[in-house]
Amino acid sequence: MQDSADFARRYRRFLGFLAISQRLLPLPLASALAARSAPYLSPHRALQAAVSQGMSSALALSPEALEILWQRYLRYAGSADLLTFLYRRMNPTWLGRYIQVQGQEVLDAQQDKGRGLFVMTYHNHYPHFLAAVMGLLQHKTYLVAMDYEISPLYPYMSQIIDKYHIDCAKHFYGGEYLFMTEKTPVRLMRKLHQVLQEGHLVVSLNDFPSPFVSKRNLPIELFGRRYLCPTGTVEIALQQGARIVVGWARGVGRGRFVVELYPLSGTTVETVMDAYVAKLHELIALDPALWEGWKWLPP
């Protein structure tokens, strides 16, 4: 608990610094400052051992290359933390200026056919931002996420965390967060059936070993390591005949982002997850620092 309190204290201080910078500086400069200051001020520096261990155990890296990736990981984390204060400023004009969407035809096809769209993404610094972008593109969006109130940081940062989720969800075009806890999976699954049946968009992260799923999961393999990932949302998407795609957001510097969307093949949970993991390998090959999962990758 004391570790969480200390982490939260440093996090609040870093966020305070970012809040001031984004008020005083144009967005490109504030974003650059957030990225460059993170290796020195971000509380995520405490994750170095876990992230570096995951990277070094899975990738053939020299110590110099590992350090470069770790510094980049922190810069991405810094730019993601700056988003805490940018959600309240986002609008369609902002979207057109700072966001490039690759795979727009995937969204257009979904609108034309009126089917639900199931967007599988990853823990890559920006999943909440991806959902906000989908909403700004005028898709009613629902993001399946772990209930933030169970975070050990919540008692120390409740106001900041509450405001973050409220500001982000305002861009979901009438959608909302669907929070997963130990007590809500049945209600959550019913809601997922409903929103996909109504033709809306669901963003789901399926690369994390969920502590609340005991039955609907499947082992995946990354770099020779196997662990269980939740698949209940995938089952529902298949049952509802939703179009399934994979997508992620990537920060490319100075407040700009690229959102990439790709159709995902597969007609069963197993084949969908195989394709999903194959795309994750592509993301990691593009830039290993984008993925946050290094800290939970089994040794």
Side-chain angles (χ1 to χ4, degrees):
M1 187 64 70
Q2 182 59 41
D3 288 345
S4 295
D6 182 63
F7 188 95
R9 178 184 58 79
R10 288 182 284 127
Y11 210 164
R12 290 194 303 268
R13 186 169 58 192
F14 183 53
L15 290 174
F17 169 75
L18 297 181
I20 293 172
S21 67
Q22 62 88 28
R23 286 198 300 267
L24 299 178
L25 299 173
L27 178 56
L29 292 180
S31 179
L33 181 60
R36 292 177 183 178
S37 63
Y40 307 98
L41 301 177
S42 173
H44 296 293
R45 291 177 299 162
L47 301 175
Q48 182 173 7
V51 173
S52 296
Q53 172 61 32
M55 286 184 179
S56 62
S57 66
L59 306 173
L61 297 170
S62 67
E64 294 77 14
L66 180 62
E67 179 62 20
I68 289 172
L69 285 178
W70 167 243
Q71 294 295 317
R72 191 182 302 157
Y73 181 100
L74 286 177
R75 290 198 295 272
Y76 287 140
S79 67
D81 283 333
L82 181 65
L83 290 170
T84 302
F85 309 101
L86 299 184
Y87 286 120
R88 64 199 67 168
R89 295 165 50 182
M90 292 178 187
N91 55 45
T93 301
W94 187 95
L95 179 74
R97 184 174 181 182
Y98 293 106
I99 310 299
Q100 178 187 359
V101 180
Q102 298 178 359
Q104 180 68 47
E105 65 277 6
V106 172
L107 298 176
D108 295 340
Q110 186 264 347
Q111 275 191 324
D112 293 342
K113 295 184 179 180
R115 296 164 58 187
L117 184 65
F118 185 68
V119 180
M120 300 182 72
T121 191
Y122 310 102
H123 289 77
N124 71 325
H125 301 291
Y126 310 110
H128 297 257
F129 177 69
L130 174 66
V133 171
M134 295 298 99
L136 285 167
L137 290 170
Q138 300 185 354
H139 296 273
K140 192 172 184 178
T141 299
Y142 295 81
L143 174 58
V144 181
M146 300 287 275
D147 187 350
Y148 59 82
E149 292 190 10
I150 67 175
S151 166
L153 297 181
Y154 187 73
Y156 308 100
M157 301 178 62
S158 59
Q159 289 185 333
I160 295 173
I161 294 173
D162 288 344
K163 188 69 165 61
Y164 175 95
H165 286 84
I166 290 171
D167 288 344
C168 186
K170 286 179 180 177
H171 300 297
F172 288 0
Y173 205 63
E176 60 183 320
Y177 279 98
L178 300 177
F179 290 116
M180 172 68 77
T181 71
E182 187 176 8
K183 298 179 180 179
T184 59
V186 173
R187 185 174 60 188
L188 173 66
M189 297 306 161
R190 289 175 180 168
K191 183 67 174 181
L192 280 172
H193 276 290
Q194 176 187 339
V195 300
L196 288 172
Q197 199 171 54
E198 293 172 352
H200 303 310
L201 188 152
V202 172
V203 177
S204 179
L205 297 91
N206 297 80
D207 61 335
F208 179 77
S210 172
F212 303 130
V213 178
S214 58
K215 295 181 180 179
R216 292 184 173 89
N217 54 41
L218 194 73
I220 70 167
E221 184 170 320
L222 282 172
F223 307 106
R225 280 84 172 161
R226 290 169 64 87
Y227 62 95
L228 294 175
C229 285
T231 57
T233 55
V234 180
E235 291 180 25
I236 292 173
L238 289 169
Q239 291 168 7
Q240 291 298 330
R243 298 184 70 245
I244 302 178
V245 305
V246 63
W248 55 75
R250 293 191 289 114
V252 292
R254 300 182 68 81
R256 294 175 293 113
F257 293 85
V258 173
V259 170
E260 298 173 322
L261 299 165
Y262 303 93
L264 203 63
S265 61
T267 56
T268 66
V269 171
E270 291 77 11
T271 54
V272 168
M273 289 299 290
D274 284 345
Y276 172 73
V277 173
K279 274 295 180 183
L280 176 55
H281 274 283
E282 289 187 24
L283 175 68
I284 292 172
L286 175 70
D287 186 350
L290 284 168
W291 191 48
E292 291 184 304
W294 300 113
K295 56 183 179 284
W296 67 68
L297 192 67

